[in-house]
Amino acid sequence: MKYTKPYQPPTVTVDAVVFQLSDSGLEVLLTKRSEEPFKDSWALPGGYSAQGETTLEALAIKVKSKAGVNIHEDLKYIEQLYTFDSVARDPRGHAVSVTYMGCGLNITPVDSSEEAAFFSVDNLPSLAYDHANIISYAHQRLSAKLTYTNAVYGLLPKRFTLTQLQTAYEAVFGRDLDKRNFRKKFLSLELIHETSEMFREGAHRPARLYEFNKQKLESLTRSFD
Amino acid sequence: MKYTKPYQPPTVTVDAVVFQLSDSGLEVLLTKRSEEPFKDSWALPGGYSAQGETTLEALAIKVKSKAGVNIHEDLKYIEQLYTFDSVARDPRGHAVSVTYMGCGLNITPVDSSEEAAFFSVDNLPSLAYDHANIISYAHQRLSAKLTYTNAVYGLLPKRFTLTQLQTAYEAVFGRDLDKRNFRKKFLSLELIHETSEMFREGAHRPARLYEFNKQKLESLTRSFD
DNA sequence: GCAAAAGTGTTTGGGATACACCCATGC
DNA sequence: GCATGGGTGTATCCCAAACACTTTTGC
């Protein structure tokens, strides 16, 4: 291919939407920007992606250095989300952002170059760039994934109670589910099996602990909810 | 952000998977490469995306010039598919490809700089780059879209018979559907309405023509098949 | 009248939804 | 014994799937 002017690619960036559950519901990882543009605003962790590295490789490096999170060890699941490319999204110039979405559990940012913290998706601070849109899109995608795959495993510990499982669905869907119907249906999907262990906590009956059969993404034939 | 070496973004390219139906089933638009690499191989229409233009704008220009197809006029529906970014996918150097998928009808390439033609998805020639993977991924996505949206409208003329509608689904899904169940279910979705016109052709009973209520993508609450 | 595609209903099984009470524990 | 969350079953409705014959036309 021939060009009369030298070819100038857009800048390529990567951004991660990292979800986890806490007592307050679904949370997303943000970092506080230390430089312009959007200095002191919160933003998704990410950065430039250079020639010779895949966008996922670049993401691992950026999220580790800026937010202190190792996407391969701390996340149980990650997938590409969408590529945002409007010319105006970065005031410095045209930057195309390849975004990813992932899920983890009890993640604690360590040794990050920027301030990093999790925020409830229902109570986000004002965000840099188009990152509010990206998070909203990721949340929709996660919600869809829970309905037709076993992706919840990414939000739960290895062993979990059925109440924890249901709470995870409710946090992502943003609505309550019927306990009896939830259990009946989820157990019929044969994605999990019970263990011999019980979870004891507080002044009430202990709960049985379950495990996923596979800690790997798979699609369901019957969709869930 | 500071770099010790000047930042070198990867090349950014765009590629389109354009589907249409013909008597032989689902077809995809390909162009014959006139230059290295992969000279004389068939490939998806696409090309470089430069700073200052969105990937969809770049795609419109490339698909028009190389394959003679106007994605805004000739396609009834287009969406971003996925971003392919492995370092080895382009032998000239690292190129990240933002891909799109669209549907049209009776498309005829005109004034294209390269030889352009439609090929049945079940009988593709050997393809350049990772384009065989991209087409396979697009086909899966299209199939999924037909089950939970009204996206079929993109493959059909404004007025169509129920048999044409069913044939479109069968071509995309790659399997036969039951005529009575298909009609009952599709009509119950209230996406289409009958017109007063009939379609006459051949020595058999004429078929009623239907129209979509909306020629715009919408999601179904009840998923189809 | 015959070939060819259009059009049409019923039965059956299974999953979705709605709904309320007893159980095991700690204090 | 009481407060707290864990655990369980049934009835109804609607949808999915299976399945074959009549109708309308051109020749």
Side-chain angles (χ1 to χ4, degrees):
Chain A
M1 189 172 296
K2 294 178 186 74
Y3 278 87
T4 48
K5 291 182 286 188
Y7 166 67
Q8 281 277 5
T11 299
V12 176
T13 65
V14 287
D15 289 294
V17 183
V18 173
F19 288 114
Q20 75 173 6
L21 286 179
S22 77
D23 295 341
S24 59
L26 190 66
E27 296 182 334
V28 62
L29 177 65
L30 299 175
T31 61
K32 195 166 197 171
R33 289 186 55 81
S34 54
E35 306 208 3
E36 294 293 348
F38 300 106
K39 189 168 187 305
D40 297 328
S41 280
W42 291 91
L44 293 172
Y48 291 95
S49 178
Q51 202 170 108
E53 63 184 1
T54 65
T55 53
L56 191 58
E57 287 163 1
L59 193 74
I61 294 165
K62 298 301 175 184
V63 173
K64 181 66 197 153
S65 68
K66 289 201 182 175
V69 170
N70 183 322
I71 62 174
H72 294 116
E73 288 174 13
D74 298 337
L75 302 186
K76 303 175 123 189
Y77 164 65
I78 189 160
E79 69 171 38
Q80 196 189 103
L81 186 64
Y82 194 78
T83 298
F84 293 84
D85 72 337
S86 82
V87 174
R89 54 184 299 283
D90 189 326
R92 289 166 297 186
H94 190 199
V96 169
S97 179
V98 182
T99 61
Y100 286 80
M101 175 194 78
C103 296
L105 175 69
N106 294 331
I107 301 172
T108 323
V110 286
D111 300 328
S112 61
S113 66
E114 300 186 347
E115 190 181 343
F118 281 88
F119 287 80
S120 164
V121 290
D122 296 325
N123 195 18
L124 293 172
S126 122
L127 290 163
Y129 306 104
D130 51 358
H131 289 186
N133 286 336
I134 295 175
I135 292 171
S136 153
Y137 188 77
H139 188 176
Q140 283 174 49
R141 173 82 69 94
L142 179 62
S143 182
K145 281 274 164 177
L146 291 208
T147 69
Y148 68 89
T149 71
N150 64 344
V152 223
Y153 77 81
L155 296 166
L156 294 172
K158 184 151 182 274
R159 296 189 165 191
F160 53 88
T161 67
L162 294 180
T163 300
Q164 281 177 287
L165 182 66
Q166 184 177 341
T167 304
Y169 270 93
E170 289 174 339
V172 174
F173 287 169
R175 64 189 168 87
D176 291 344
L177 302 172
D178 179 87
K179 181 160 65 162
R180 279 176 292 189
N181 291 337
F182 177 85
R183 290 173 181 227
K184 192 177 354 142
K185 175 147 189 192
F186 205 93
L187 290 170
S188 78
L189 294 176
E190 301 190 330
L191 296 174
I192 58 177
H193 59 268
E194 61 174 43
T195 70
S196 54
E197 272 184 84
M198 305 296 279
F199 178 67
R200 308 182 115 78
E201 177 203 50
H204 54 82
R205 180 170 173 175
R208 182 163 301 277
L209 287 166
Y210 288 77
E211 277 180 356
F212 275 90
N213 295 331
K214 300 197 180 146
Q215 292 265 337
K216 223 181 68 180
L217 196 67
E218 48 186 325
S219 290
L220 310 181
T221 45
R222 268 168 68 204
S223 80
F224 187 83
D225 244 353
Chain B
M1 188 171 296
K2 296 180 184 72
Y3 277 87
T4 48
K5 290 181 286 187
Y7 166 68
Q8 282 276 5
T11 300
V12 176
T13 64
V14 287
D15 289 294
V17 184
V18 173
F19 288 115
Q20 75 173 6
L21 287 179
S22 77
D23 295 341
S24 60
L26 189 66
E27 295 182 334
V28 62
L29 177 64
L30 299 174
T31 61
K32 195 166 197 172
R33 290 186 56 81
S34 54
E35 308 209 2
E36 294 294 346
F38 299 107
K39 188 168 190 304
D40 298 328
S41 279
W42 291 90
L44 293 172
Y48 291 96
S49 178
Q51 201 170 110
E53 63 185 0
T54 64
T55 53
L56 191 58
E57 286 164 1
L59 192 74
I61 294 165
K62 298 300 175 185
V63 173
K64 181 66 196 154
S65 68
K66 288 201 183 174
V69 170
N70 182 322
I71 62 173
H72 295 116
E73 287 175 15
D74 297 337
L75 301 187
K76 304 175 123 189
Y77 164 66
I78 190 160
E79 68 172 38
Q80 196 188 101
L81 186 63
Y82 194 79
T83 298
F84 294 83
D85 72 337
S86 82
V87 175
R89 53 184 299 283
D90 190 327
R92 288 167 297 185
H94 189 199
V96 169
S97 180
V98 182
T99 60
Y100 286 80
M101 175 194 78
C103 295
L105 175 71
N106 293 331
I107 300 172
T108 324
V110 286
D111 300 329
S112 60
S113 66
E114 299 186 346
E115 190 180 343
F118 281 88
F119 288 79
S120 163
V121 290
D122 297 324
N123 194 18
L124 293 172
S126 122
L127 290 163
Y129 306 104
D130 51 0
H131 288 187
N133 285 336
I134 297 175
I135 292 171
S136 154
Y137 187 78
H139 188 176
Q140 283 174 48
R141 172 84 68 95
L142 179 62
S143 183
K145 282 273 164 177
L146 291 207
T147 69
Y148 67 90
T149 70
N150 64 345
V152 223
Y153 77 81
L155 295 166
L156 293 172
K158 184 151 182 274
R159 297 190 165 189
F160 53 87
T161 67
L162 294 180
T163 300
Q164 281 178 287
L165 181 65
Q166 182 177 344
T167 304
Y169 270 92
E170 289 174 339
V172 174
F173 287 169
R175 63 190 168 87
D176 290 344
L177 302 172
D178 178 87
K179 180 159 67 161
R180 279 174 294 186
N181 291 337
F182 178 85
R183 291 173 180 225
K184 193 177 352 144
K185 175 149 191 192
F186 205 94
L187 291 169
S188 77
L189 295 176
E190 301 190 330
L191 296 174
I192 58 175
H193 58 268
E194 60 175 43
T195 69
S196 56
E197 272 184 85
M198 305 295 280
F199 178 68
R200 308 183 114 78
E201 177 203 52
H204 55 81
R205 181 170 172 174
R208 183 162 300 276
L209 287 166
Y210 288 77
E211 278 179 356
F212 275 90
N213 296 331
K214 299 195 179 146
Q215 291 266 336
K216 224 180 67 180
L217 196 67
E218 49 185 325
S219 290
L220 310 181
T221 45
R222 267 169 68 204
S223 80
F224 187 83
D225 242 353

